């Protein structure tokens, strides 16, 4: 394929797809008469195109780490196992914050080794790690000077977060910090503002949260992203100004930093997307334990987004009993990674380390299998994006930066033939296996449609076929329309 053809194909896909792809979205458009004027709405329209954001996008695969006091209890309280998220045990077992925080005395992760964690993540093929610095319970993984509930009060006294930031950074994995605004331990936190007293208290709380966020950004300037959670309460939604202020503050403190949409609320308490429908923050962070529909939700390819998956259903922190719900297999995780990339999003897989500071067998296995697959087939994930082709039953398409289209096959048809529909004027010239490089037979079957043969050799894993595409200027249509 000549470079000029490539360019045309890419342009063709850009124009042909019903969705507006990245290139055209960088200019700030003035609100039209139809838009509501907003003080705390979106700062920008369309995708950010600077190097830091491109790196975020190109990474495609991340690892989430939920590690806190809930790892010690692992879903069990006074001999009873609770099946809900282990990180909500304090709520489900009705434990007071004072009682819960006594667990700090038992925080003694003797097997913790940040370098080992980073090594595992490297092998897994993740390009960034999202670390929970403070979950809803209020326990801080760093020695915060604004809280009495931190690792500094624990027997081991280690700045766990500091060690992790250093270790991940050293192996070239970007560090993202998770911070929950919702805080069950803070006396000034309010779920809603009912009177003046609430308003004053919550004001103090926001000051505390700002101090902590600032503290994180200045202690760990290597950080590339802040991911906020616990922003759904009425009290928070009434303080959209604060979310704008925090995003701007972080962007001043750490050039290039990215911030998730979940931080933000606008003048009317609208979250993620402002009252005019524009995304706030740098990427949408609403796809938690779910994914967009590849056909109905194709509009999502207009903005950056990130999705999150747990291994058992809704277990983020360590839980002793994984038999309580279905546990996803590595192939299912791989399918989610591909699904996200095929729609221009990132996938983050969550691990909940054990209280001793190491990982359970299932997580090690997940890391190993995903890593092996990524090593073989990562070319169709890293740096790849939505391809602009119509989704087919055999799997997903992604598109590389140079216009190469990848077919990632999960469902091998019994017919041995996989359908590929192409836009008008586009031909498939050649198909090859990404791993092993063997040629795959193709045949044009009707107008704008091809069969790609299933390779003879049985492949017992999701495999990838690379398509070489040609765009002809003249539209030689050899198929007649049906007379009906
Ligand atoms: C709901 C909720 C929270 N968001 C996930 C990332 C977990 O931290 C969970 O507690």
């Amino acid at each position: 394929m000549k470079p000029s053809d490539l360019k045309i194909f890419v342009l063709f896909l850009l124009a042909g797809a019903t969705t507006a792809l990245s290139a055209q979205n960088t200019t700030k458009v003035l609100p039209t008469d139809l838009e509501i004027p907003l003080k705390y709405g979106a700062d920008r329209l369309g995708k950010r195109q600077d190097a830091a954001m491109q790196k975020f996008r190109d990474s495609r695969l991340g690892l989430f780490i939920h590690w806190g006091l809930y790892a010690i209890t692992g879903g069990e309280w006074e001999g009873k196992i609770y099946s809900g998220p282990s990180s909500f045990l304090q709520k489900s077992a009705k434990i007071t914050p004072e009682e819960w925080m006594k667990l700090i005395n038992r925080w003694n992760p003797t097997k913790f080794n940040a370098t080992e964690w980073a090594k595992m993540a490297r092998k897994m093929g993740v390009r960034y790690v999202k670390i929970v610095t403070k979950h809803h319970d209020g326990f801080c993984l760093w020695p915060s000077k604004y809280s009495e509930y931190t690792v500094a009060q624990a027997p081991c006294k280690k700045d766990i977060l500091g060690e992790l930031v250093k270790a991940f950074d050293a192996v070239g994995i970007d560090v993202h910090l998770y911070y929950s605004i919702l805080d069950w331990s803070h006396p000034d936190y309010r779920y809603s503002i009912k009177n003046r007293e609430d308003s004053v208290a919550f004001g103090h709380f926001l000051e505390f949260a700002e101090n902590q966020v600032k503290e994180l950004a200045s202690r760990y300037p290597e950080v590339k992203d802040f991911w906020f959670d616990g922003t759904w309460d009425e009290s928070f939604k009434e303080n959209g100004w604060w979310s704008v202020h925090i995003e701007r503050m972080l962007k001043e403190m750490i050039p290039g930093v990215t911030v998730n949409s979940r931080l933000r609320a606008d003048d009317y308490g609208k979250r993620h997307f402002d009252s005019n429908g524009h995304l706030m923050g740098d990427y949408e962070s609403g796809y938690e334990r779910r994914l967009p529909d590849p056909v109905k939700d194709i509009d999502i390819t207009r903005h950056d987004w990130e999705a999150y998956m747990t291994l058992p259903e809704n277990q983020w922190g360590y839980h002793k009993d994984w038999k309580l719900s279905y546990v996803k297999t590595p192939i299912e995780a791989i399918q989610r990674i591909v699904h996200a990339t095929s729609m221009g999003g990132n996938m983050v897989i969550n691990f909940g380390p054990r209280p001793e500071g190491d990982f359970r067998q299932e997580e090690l296995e997940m890391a190993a299998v995903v890593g092996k697959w990524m090593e073989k087939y990562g070319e169709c994930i890293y740096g790849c994006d939505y391809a602009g082709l119509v989704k087919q039953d055999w799997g997903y398409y992604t598109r590389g930066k140079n216009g190469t289209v990848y077919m990632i096959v999960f469902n091998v048809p019994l017919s041995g033939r996989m359908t590929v529909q192409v836009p008008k004027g586009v031909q498939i010239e050649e198909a090859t296996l990404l791993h092993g490089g063997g040629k795959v037979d193709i045949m044009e079957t009707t107008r704008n449609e091809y069969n790609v043969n299933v390779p003879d050799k049985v492949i017992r894993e999701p495999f990838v076929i690379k398509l070489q595409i040609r765009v002809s200027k003249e539209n030689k249509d050899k198929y007649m329309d049906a007379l009906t």
Side-chain angles (χ1 to χ4, degrees), residues 357-373:
D358 58 350
F359 293 91
R360 64 201 303 156
Q361 201 44 46
E362 297 94 327
E363 289 172 345
L364 292 174
E365 162 89 2
M366 174 65 75
V369 178
V370 167
K372 236 170 119 192
W373 194 88

Side-chain angles (χ1 to χ4, degrees), residues 314-445:
N314 206 12
Q315 287 298 349
W316 298 88
Y318 173 78
H319 191 291
K320 289 179 185 174
D321 189 358
W322 271 18
K323 296 212 173 61
L324 293 169
S325 85
Y326 178 69
V327 179
K328 293 169 202 79
T329 64
I331 297 252
E332 288 168 309
I334 292 167
Q335 184 155 357
R336 281 169 164 80
I337 299 165
V338 174
H339 183 144
T341 307
S342 78
M343 299 186 75
N346 293 8
M347 175 51 67
V348 182
I349 301 177
N350 179 76
F351 284 5
R354 291 198 279 217
E356 296 78 18
D358 58 350
F359 293 91
R360 64 201 303 156
Q361 201 44 46
E362 297 94 327
E363 289 172 345
L364 292 174
E365 162 89 2
M366 174 65 75
V369 178
V370 167
K372 236 170 119 192
W373 194 88
M374 290 299 287
E375 203 181 315
K376 254 164 127 175
Y377 300 107
E379 183 185 324
C380 72
I381 303 292
Y382 303 123
C384 290
D385 213 327
Y386 172 55
L389 297 174
V390 181
K391 166 95 168 82
Q392 304 289 333
D393 291 338
W394 44 255
Y396 306 85
Y397 295 105
T398 63
R399 174 173 55 95
K401 287 216 184 341
N402 63 2
T404 304
V405 171
Y406 300 93
M407 298 170 61
I408 302 103
V409 182
F410 283 87
N411 312 307
V412 178
L414 288 176
S415 68
R417 307 279 183 267
M418 296 183 282
T419 305
V420 173
Q421 285 172 284
V422 291
K424 220 163 140 190
V426 171
Q427 278 101 45
I428 302 177
E429 290 197 309
E430 200 180 72
T432 47
L433 276 171
L434 173 58
H435 190 74
K439 244 181 126 170
V440 177
D441 289 336
I442 47 168
M443 172 163 251
E444 194 178 356
T445 49

Side-chain angles (χ1 to χ4, degrees), residues 49 52 109 125 161 171 186 194 243 262 272 329 356 390 450 474:
Q49 292 297 353
L161 181 59
V171 298
H186 201 288
K194 294 195 198 75
S243 72
R262 201 177 295 196
H272 296 276
T329 64
E356 296 78 18
V390 181
Y450 287 79
E474 72 284 19

